[in-house]
């Protein structure tokens, strides 16, 4: 079951995809409602900015405490609207709390004025300052796969920067976002975090009122978001689809590789933008690795109390089934799993062997619990096939030689590479997270850059020396002053004889 609209009441009814039970309802905000919420947030933003990083830190850490105190309830809400397992769902509140602490405690350092040095002695008479002022209103549109943790990645740095934030969650899973914003309100924090719920029209209204837009979702929708932002000339960040490769080299610890790839491909039922979706294995260890991977995947338990849960929507389950069916029809072999379980939207964890690069399970984003495996001759073929994709979000490399792993990482056309691990970079806000190619534009996190992205940068110059009544280039113009100015600029900028207005000697 998925979210359905009750047009008579203008609400969205949310169902648990694992059981079909009704989980709750949220209103469908019309554009006028979004406009009113945006105006209220913008009105409150100047006082929030004026608190400074230290003043904002107090509220953010209190909010973090509320999330940790209510983590059990948040987890249950997550399960009720996504069908996640308790294991998968329980990570979201704690991971969000960790992110809030990072941005709250580092904001003062990251937002401090910068004082770049003059590039030329001519300008050493000036003091240079780069100051950071937040965008008044940041719009954040999040997907259904991590309905609490995804806002947790994007909202805290924007708040820490001093912006107000209007959050629009997926219509499929809006209930967790209700809890996300509820916590901010219940601690009595300044009214600079708002929530709006609805469908595409609601999201479009957010774009129409935001000063910066952060979107996470499909590549197709991301293109439309980019066009809408471009029409308004507002900056934006997009994290879009992925088809992340794993490369298993012959010298790898195959047990660790099988365990890590199973987790990296099946966590949250494979509904992760950085899920392992393609596996390339060097020929000498291919058969052994496939056997180990199949054994590990076959042990994965599904259900609320298991390792992983249901698919979030029937449509997503059907995409997974289509990819598997098309692969087997083209000659691939299902080693384990391969079918819906017949309960809710569950799809059995699946390993597919004897795959080739033309199959849809290798070319299209699956976003489900499948691991197709290809045999390659060597690392060069693995790199070539891994890079042969319109996506470039992340990848993993498995090898006993860490230097070799890092060398191969630098040849992969992706925004992040984990050597002998999977997904770990997502939990590290000091690292940038962003996609290359059709996987996105811009980055989230990345230390200081993750908070500065939500700011307008302002250049300020002030004199270091007592000021005169005029400067060399000011009016009235003078050939003598201009000649002297150009001579000084040339002397500091050029090299060799050109510093003195002379041509270099021939030869």
């Amino acid at each position: 079951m998925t979210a359905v609209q009750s047009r008579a009441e203008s609400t969205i009814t949310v169902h648990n995809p694992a059981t079909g039970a009704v989980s709750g309802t949220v209103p469908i905000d019309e554009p006028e409602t979004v406009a009113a919420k945006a105006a209220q947030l913008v009105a409150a933003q100047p006082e929030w900015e004026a608190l400074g990083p230290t003043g904002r830190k107090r509220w953010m850490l209190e909010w973090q405490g509320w999330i940790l105190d209510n983590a059990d309830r948040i987890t249950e809400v997550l399960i009720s609207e996504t069908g996640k397992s308790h294991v998968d769902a329980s990570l979201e509140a704690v991971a969000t709390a960790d992110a809030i602490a990072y941005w709250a405690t580092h904001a003062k350092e990251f937002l401090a004025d910068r004082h770049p040095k003059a590039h030329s002695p001519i300008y050493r008479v000036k003091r240079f300052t780069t100051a950071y002022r937040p965008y008044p209103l940041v719009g954040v549109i999040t997907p259904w796969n991590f309905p609490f943790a995804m806002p947790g990645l994007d909202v805290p740095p924007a708040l820490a920067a001093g912006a107000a934030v209007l959050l629009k969650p997926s219509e499929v899973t809006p209930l967790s976002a209700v809890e996300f914003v509820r916590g901010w309100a219940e601690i009595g924090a300044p009214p600079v975090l708002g929530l709006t719920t609805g469908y595409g029209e609601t999201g479009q209204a957010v774009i129409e009122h935001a000063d910066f837009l952060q979107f996470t979702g499909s590549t197709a929708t991301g293109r439309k978001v980019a066009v809408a932002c471009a029409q308004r000339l507002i900056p934006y960040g997009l994290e879009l689809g992925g088809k992340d490769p794993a490369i298993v080299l012959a010298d790898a610890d195959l047990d660790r590789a099988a365990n890590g790839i199973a987790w990296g491909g099946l966590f949250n039922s494979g509904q992760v933008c950085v899920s392992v979706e393609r596996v390339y294995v060097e020929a000498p260890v291919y058969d052994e690795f496939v056997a180990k991977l199949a054994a590990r995947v076959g042990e994965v338990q599904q259900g609320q109390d298991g390792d992983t849960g249901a698919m979030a929507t029937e449509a997503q389950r059907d995409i997974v089934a289509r990819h598997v069916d098309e692969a087997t029809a083209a000659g691939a072999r299902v080693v384990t799993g391969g079918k819906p379980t017949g309960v809710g939207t569950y799809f059995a964890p699946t390993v597919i062997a004897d795959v080739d690069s033309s199959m849809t399970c290798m070319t299209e984003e699956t976003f489900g619990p499948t691991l197709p495996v290809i045999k390659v001759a060597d690392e060069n073929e693995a790199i070539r096939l891994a890079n042969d994709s319109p996506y470039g979000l992340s990848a993993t490399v498995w090898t006993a030689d860490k230097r070799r792993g890092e060398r191969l990482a630098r040849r992969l056309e992706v925004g992040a590479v984990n050597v002998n691990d999977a997904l770990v970079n997502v939990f590290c806000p000091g690292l940038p997270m962003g996609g290359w190619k059709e996987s996105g534009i811009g980055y989230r996190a990345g230390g200081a850059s993750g908070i500065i992205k939500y700011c307008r940068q302002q250049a300020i110059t002030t004199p270091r020396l007592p000021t005169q009544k005029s400067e060399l280039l000011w009016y009235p113009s003078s050939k003598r002053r201009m000649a002297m100015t150009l001579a000084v600029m040339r002397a500091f900028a050029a090299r060799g004889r050109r510093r003195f207005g002379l041509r270099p000697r021939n030869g």
Side-chain angles (χ1 to χ4, degrees):
M1 298 288 290
T2 58
V4 296
Q5 180 176 356
S6 172
R7 296 191 180 276
E9 300 179 7
S10 296
T11 60
I12 297 172
T13 300
V14 181
H15 294 82
N16 185 328
T19 66
V22 173
S23 303
T25 62
V26 295
I28 298 169
D29 285 347
E30 300 294 335
E32 312 84 67
T33 303
V34 177
K37 290 182 175 182
Q40 291 172 352
L41 292 166
V42 170
Q45 186 271 333
E47 290 188 18
W48 175 245
E49 179 183 354
L51 288 176
T54 302
R56 296 192 291 269
K57 175 182 176 180
R58 172 215 160 187
W59 287 111
M60 293 187 68
L61 292 182
E62 192 166 339
W63 184 36
Q64 182 213 36
W66 184 95
I67 289 171
L68 291 173
D69 291 345
N70 290 273
D72 290 343
R73 185 179 76 182
I74 293 167
T75 297
E76 293 306 314
V77 172
L78 278 162
I79 293 170
S80 76
E81 67 176 346
T82 64
K84 289 177 185 274
S85 69
H86 191 276
V87 170
D88 286 349
S90 64
L91 286 172
E92 296 200 34
V94 178
T96 297
D98 183 50
I100 291 170
Y102 178 82
W103 297 113
T105 56
H106 287 83
K108 184 176 181 180
E109 169 196 351
F110 292 161
L111 295 172
D113 288 353
R114 306 289 196 269
H115 299 287
K117 294 181 179 179
H119 74 284
S120 166
I122 295 174
Y123 298 100
R124 288 179 185 167
V125 297
K126 301 291 185 182
R127 182 175 187 263
F128 295 158
T129 300
T130 302
Y132 302 98
R133 293 284 308 280
Y135 290 103
L137 181 61
V138 171
V140 176
I141 300 178
T142 54
W144 44 258
N145 57 334
F146 290 98
F148 197 89
M150 289 303 305
L153 287 176
D154 295 321
V155 172
L159 289 173
V165 180
L166 182 55
L167 171 63
K168 193 276 178 190
S170 167
E171 65 273 14
V172 176
T173 54
L175 303 179
S176 299
V178 172
E179 297 302 311
F180 188 86
V181 176
R182 184 200 307 278
W184 186 260
E186 286 194 359
I187 64 170
V192 289
L193 174 57
L195 176 72
T196 185
T197 51
Y199 291 88
E201 187 180 35
T202 305
Q204 179 63 40
V206 171
I207 297 172
E208 289 173 0
H209 296 283
D211 301 298
F212 182 102
L213 194 286
Q214 179 65 38
F215 171 83
T216 304
S218 71
T219 298
T221 304
R223 285 193 175 96
K224 296 176 182 177
V225 169
V227 170
C229 291
Q231 288 175 336
R232 289 200 58 231
L233 293 180
I234 64 167
Y236 56 89
L238 306 176
E239 192 211 290
L240 308 177
K243 193 69 182 175
D244 292 4
I247 295 175
V248 181
L249 301 176
D251 66 348
D253 179 334
L254 297 186
D255 288 316
R256 178 175 177 82
N259 289 338
I261 289 172
W263 182 73
L266 303 180
F267 174 64
N268 200 40
S269 294
Q271 299 169 116
V272 188
C273 57
V274 290
S275 288
V276 176
E277 290 211 6
R278 299 177 286 152
V279 186
Y280 301 97
V281 184
E282 284 193 302
V285 297
Y286 175 81
D287 291 334
E288 183 181 0
F289 175 79
V290 168
K292 288 180 179 291
L293 180 64
R296 185 69 193 90
V297 169
E299 295 170 351
V300 172
Q301 298 297 309
Q302 290 184 295
Q304 181 175 325
D305 297 321
D307 300 307
T308 192
M311 308 297 296
T313 69
E314 294 174 354
Q316 197 59 45
R317 179 201 60 198
D318 293 345
I319 290 172
V320 178
R322 175 173 64 82
H323 283 186
V324 174
D325 291 345
E326 289 173 352
T328 55
R333 173 172 53 94
V334 171
V335 184
T336 188
K339 297 289 184 183
T341 66
V343 177
T345 55
Y346 285 98
F347 193 97
T350 299
V351 175
I352 315 171
D354 304 332
V355 174
D356 70 54
S357 296
S358 67
M359 297 176 182
T360 52
C361 66
M362 299 297 287
T363 60
E364 298 178 7
E365 186 176 25
T366 303
F367 222 60
T370 62
L371 288 164
V373 190
I374 285 184
K375 182 190 298 184
V376 295
D378 53 29
E379 66 178 48
N380 290 323
E381 184 181 15
I383 292 290
R384 177 178 62 81
L385 293 175
N387 287 339
D388 184 20
S389 171
Y391 298 108
L393 201 50
S394 72
T396 65
V397 177
W398 304 82
T399 174
D401 186 339
K402 289 184 287 186
R403 289 186 178 180
R404 185 186 185 193
E406 290 190 13
R407 175 173 55 82
L408 294 186
R410 296 173 189 273
R411 295 174 61 191
L412 287 163
E413 298 169 357
V414 296
V417 182
N418 294 299
V419 178
N420 293 334
D421 209 333
L423 312 187
V424 65
N425 63 292
V426 177
F427 299 96
C428 302
L431 288 170
M433 181 180 178
W436 295 9
K437 300 188 279 189
E438 293 185 15
S439 286
I441 294 175
Y443 298 83
R444 61 160 57 95
S449 61
I451 197 169
I452 289 172
K453 69 179 279 186
Y454 294 114
C455 296
R456 299 161 293 179
Q457 300 186 40
Q458 186 175 46
I460 302 172
T461 71
T462 52
R464 291 185 181 275
L465 302 177
T467 56
Q468 305 299 314
K469 292 185 180 299
S470 186
E471 297 287 339
L472 287 175
L473 294 179
W474 290 7
Y475 301 136
S477 59
S478 164
K479 291 183 178 180
R480 180 174 175 274
R481 289 202 309 268
M482 177 59 73
M484 183 170 58
T485 301
L486 293 177
V488 173
M489 293 176 69
R490 175 186 284 271
F492 287 122
R495 295 175 297 161
R497 292 167 58 86
R498 291 190 180 92
R499 297 177 62 188
F500 309 103
L502 302 174
R503 294 182 179 277
R505 293 188 179 93
N506 292 332

